[in-house]
Each structure stands twice: as structure tokens, then as C-alpha cells.
Amino acid sequence: MPATQSAAAPGRLEVVRRFVNTCDIEAGNDTLATPEACLRWLRGQDLLDRSVDTLDRADRDEVVAFRESLRDVLGVHRNGRLGDAVLDRLNATAARVGLAVRFTPSGSWQVHARGDGVHQAVGRLLTIVIGAMADGTWSRMKVCANDACRWAFYDRSKARSRRWCSMRICGNRAKQHAWRSRDGGKTR
Ligand SMILES: [Zn+2]
């Protein structure tokens, strides 16, 4: 985990941010490395009912694949458009977890997931993402512009222009790199 904590997201969206950050790519640590650890983490975030008391390797792999799809989706906030491969994965996940719309007495709607087992957790995470897309907070969720880092953070800057998880670490690294390239060009 980068030494400086990134800004937390509002409400339940923070659970999604923490989920993406269960893997510290740079350090090579994955909190969801085993089915047991995955179960513990998902339960700890209220993403699985108590009735789900075991996950297998395939469940764990599905959760991790979904996490990396989300990281790709967050990367689009800097890069523009979602590629076909990410879209296909995301749409397949939505179908698998049984996402459905329910209308409410106030004339509004709610998205909910009908899946069992690990699909319950993936469905709840996806529901939070859809809610954030609907209320506008999703556009502030980003991943660090340093490809070796890709840490998820919530951009609270007025101009929505934050690019790095931490200016002190990844931001400065990028600046130093640019400076070194310029300097090298001059002396040669
Ligand atoms: Zn970073």
C-alpha cells in the first residue's frame, strides 16, 4: 500500500475502493490470495450473508477477475473509452449475478442482485457501482496514473484533475522521470 493514504470515497462506494485496493500491485500483496482470506474479507464488508460459509478456488478467482475488471473500468476515467474486452467481462458478470431492477413506492427504482454464494458479494459490489454511476460520484473514482501502481482513489479536487494516488510518491516519481529524460537529452 502506498505510504500516503488516498482520499476515501463517500458512503458505500468506499467499500468498492477498498475492494480494488485489496491488491497492492507494486508490493505484490493480495489480501484475497486464498478462498478463506477472500471469504473473510467479503464477510467483513457485509458483502456476504452468514449463510455463505465457504468459498472454493473458482469463487476466489471470479472475485479477483471482477476486481481487475473494475480496476480497468476505473482506468477509463483517464483514458477515455472502455474496450470491448472489459465491456464483455462486465456485462457477463452482470448477467451471472442476476442483476434486476425493482421499482419503489416513491416511484423510483433500485438495482439488486439475486445471485447466491459468491455471486451475492459480486452483485452487491456491482449494485454499489451502478448507484455511484447514477448519482455522479463514480466519475471521481480513479486509479493511479502510474501503471505499476494503479491504486484506487477518490478524486476530491475541484477540477477533478488528480492523476496519482499520492503526489508525494507516484506524482513525484513521474516528475523525476520526466526531469531525468529531459536532462539526459541535454547532456548527450
Ligand atoms: Zn500510485
Side-chain angles (χ1 to χ4, degrees):
M1 176 193 313
T4 306
Q5 266 297 352
S6 44
R12 286 289 278 169
L13 190 54
E14 175 61 5
V15 176
V16 176
R17 194 184 71 88
R18 275 194 232 132
F19 173 63
V20 173
N21 289 342
T22 50
C23 183
D24 185 339
I25 295 175
E26 232 179 343
N29 293 331
D30 192 343
T31 306
L32 312 181
T34 64
E36 296 74 24
C38 192
L39 177 72
R40 228 179 0 256
W41 194 88
L42 294 174
R43 272 186 164 184
Q45 304 296 319
D46 278 334
L47 293 166
L48 278 178
D49 290 345
R50 289 278 140 192
S51 56
V52 184
D53 54 10
T54 174
L55 296 182
D56 61 21
R57 180 48 67 171
D59 292 332
R60 179 264 168 196
D61 291 350
E62 187 169 346
V63 170
V64 167
F66 173 60
R67 179 185 69 194
E68 298 314 314
S69 294
L70 280 185
R71 198 188 307 279
D72 290 343
V73 174
L74 291 174
V76 87
H77 291 157
R78 317 186 260 117
N79 301 331
R81 290 176 59 82
L82 282 181
D84 288 346
V86 186
L87 274 179
D88 287 350
R89 268 186 281 143
L90 216 53
N91 285 326
T93 303
R96 215 163 32 239
V97 302
L99 275 195
V101 170
R102 190 161 42 204
F103 295 98
T104 64
S106 63
S108 188
W109 51 271
Q110 280 174 341
V111 177
H112 68 111
R114 291 173 298 196
D116 295 325
V118 80
H119 289 157
Q120 194 178 69
V122 174
R124 285 178 190 177
L125 285 162
L126 208 46
T127 302
I128 298 170
V129 170
I130 291 166
M133 284 173 168
D135 70 18
T137 49
W138 184 249
S139 62
R140 287 187 179 272
M141 281 275 279
K142 299 178 181 177
V143 287
C144 180
N146 173 7
D147 284 335
C149 172
R150 300 185 84 208
W151 190 256
F153 64 90
Y154 190 78
D155 182 2
R156 291 181 183 269
S157 70
K158 236 183 186 158
R160 300 170 179 248
S161 56
R162 193 171 152 190
R163 299 188 61 216
W164 292 287
C165 65
S166 145
M167 207 44 223
R168 204 168 62 76
I169 308 170
C170 289
N172 276 341
R173 249 187 236 162
K175 265 197 268 172
Q176 275 165 17
H177 185 76
W179 182 81
R180 267 200 303 271
S181 322
R182 269 202 309 275
D183 194 48
K186 264 184 234 159
T187 49
R188 238 167 259 149

